[in-house]
Amino acid sequence: MLAKICHAPHLFYRTFQIPKRTGGHREISVPRPILMTLQQWILDNILERGSVHKAAHAFVKSRSIVTNAQQHLGCKELLKIDIVNFFPSIKSTKVQRVFKNFGYPSQVAAALTRICTKNGSLPQGAPTSPAISNLVAAEFDAQIEELCASCGLTYTRYADDLAISGDGIPSDLRGKIAHILAQSELNIHPLKSRTFGLKDRKIIAGISISSGRLMPTRHFVRSLRRDVHHVITRGLLAHMAATDNFDPIYLERLLGKIAFWMHVTSKSHQSIRADAALRKYMAEAGL
């Protein structure tokens, strides 16, 4: 079976598409159980021993979307850069180099690479892909951090979202970073990469730093509070009918959003009240 997986790994995935917030679709490839087990073993016993650059905050224990945004609090200017098709752009040659850096001979590294890639690149949906992406990115993370440090700037990366902040962003910095990424065969998204000035709203991976403290965006909080209020006052079924949303795990998704709100704001009073109110409703309704 291992030989079959190495020979034709694409046969061991269930692939589907989900819509992107900005339009288009994202391909998700979920490994079937036998391949998932192999990949999880590789993650636990090999990849998690690797050294991830300090600028990386996604998929790293003790770091998170919150620690990523915290690095930029109080900045006057913020440059945000988005990498196009981050996982699919990481090819097998770079993945094989990761395993060689762990000391595996070429043939073993090639077999491990086949197990962790699909059609020659990282599949989005495999448990190994996030860790591998961080290990591959360590080289350009170091280059970008050195460049930013020479300008007195702070650099962090959350998956494919790069954030650079400080008192002033040089006009040529974006081009220099694009050049570094191009050397790793990565491209920036021109419509999602821009500089925000002192008076602009600054949002990093869904967290606002504009007020000098971490907050979910105002739209997120308003929408969430409205949904919780309507569920409690109208009832779940009436609210779902009114919004034409019949998601079978709708309440769980609301609780997940509230948990994110609580995490970002260190359990603000409003987030705690929203959580308590929804849980009370669910208990009384027997849900």
Side-chain angles (χ1 to χ4, degrees):
M1 182 59 72
L2 181 59
K4 186 175 181 180
I5 291 174
C6 289
H7 177 69
H10 63 280
L11 298 178
F12 292 83
Y13 287 91
R14 181 172 59 89
T15 300
F16 54 93
Q17 293 187 332
I18 59 173
K20 294 181 180 180
R21 289 178 302 174
T22 54
H25 291 81
R26 187 188 311 277
E27 184 176 282
I28 304 296
S29 297
V30 178
R32 299 191 182 279
I34 188 168
L35 180 56
M36 177 76 79
T37 299
L38 278 172
Q39 291 177 344
Q40 191 62 51
W41 188 92
I42 292 170
L43 174 64
D44 294 339
N45 294 276
I46 300 175
L47 298 174
E48 289 193 346
R49 295 190 286 109
S51 179
V52 176
H53 194 274
K54 65 180 182 180
H57 287 260
F59 324 123
V60 182
K61 291 178 181 177
S62 77
R63 305 180 205 172
S64 68
I65 196 170
V66 170
T67 61
N68 180 64
Q70 281 174 337
Q71 311 306 310
H72 304 280
L73 281 172
C75 69
K76 293 180 180 178
E77 291 192 356
L78 170 69
L79 170 61
K80 290 171 57 176
I81 292 177
D82 180 89
I83 299 175
V84 179
N85 296 325
F86 183 47
F87 281 12
S89 295
I90 298 176
K91 304 303 180 182
S92 295
T93 51
K94 288 185 170 55
V95 177
Q96 187 164 343
R97 193 181 309 153
V98 166
F99 289 114
K100 284 185 176 180
N101 288 341
F102 278 107
Y104 291 100
S106 295
Q107 287 187 329
V108 176
L112 291 169
T113 297
R114 296 283 291 173
I115 293 171
C116 295
T117 57
K118 178 191 174 191
N119 298 328
S121 62
L122 283 187
Q124 189 156 348
T128 43
S129 292
I132 291 173
S133 72
N134 273 340
L135 295 172
V136 169
E139 182 176 352
F140 73 72
D141 278 338
Q143 291 178 287
I144 295 175
E145 188 201 35
E146 182 179 359
L147 172 64
C148 292
S150 69
C151 302
L153 303 172
T154 298
Y155 164 67
T156 65
R157 180 179 57 81
Y158 194 85
D160 56 357
D161 292 326
L162 282 59
I164 300 97
S165 68
D167 290 339
I169 305 293
S171 60
D172 62 347
L173 185 66
R174 175 175 151 173
K176 290 180 178 179
I177 292 175
H179 177 70
I180 291 173
L181 293 173
Q183 291 176 325
S184 295
E185 300 178 353
L186 298 170
N187 298 307
I188 68 172
H189 196 304
L191 300 180
K192 295 183 180 179
S193 304
R194 57 168 291 196
T195 300
F196 299 82
L198 185 61
K199 296 182 179 180
D200 294 324
R201 291 176 59 218
K202 300 177 181 68
I203 298 171
I204 301 175
I207 298 180
S208 173
I209 61 170
S210 299
S211 64
R213 57 194 178 101
L214 302 184
M215 287 289 295
T217 65
R218 286 177 291 181
H219 172 76
F220 176 90
V221 173
R222 283 197 302 265
S223 176
L224 178 55
R225 292 181 66 185
R226 182 184 63 241
D227 287 340
V228 171
H229 173 74
H230 286 164
V231 166
I232 293 170
T233 56
R234 295 177 178 175
L236 175 61
L237 293 179
H239 175 61
M240 294 178 79
T243 57
D244 196 28
N245 183 344
F246 296 94
D247 184 348
I249 57 169
Y250 182 75
L251 290 176
E252 287 77 3
R253 292 192 194 280
L254 284 183
L255 288 173
K257 290 180 179 179
I258 294 173
F260 169 75
W261 184 11
M262 295 172 70
H263 178 54
V264 171
T265 60
S266 300
K267 296 187 176 180
S268 65
H269 294 308
Q270 286 186 340
S271 64
I272 291 173
R273 285 198 298 269
D275 183 73
L278 184 57
R279 291 184 184 278
K280 180 182 177 182
Y281 166 80
M282 293 172 65
E284 292 176 347
L287 298 171

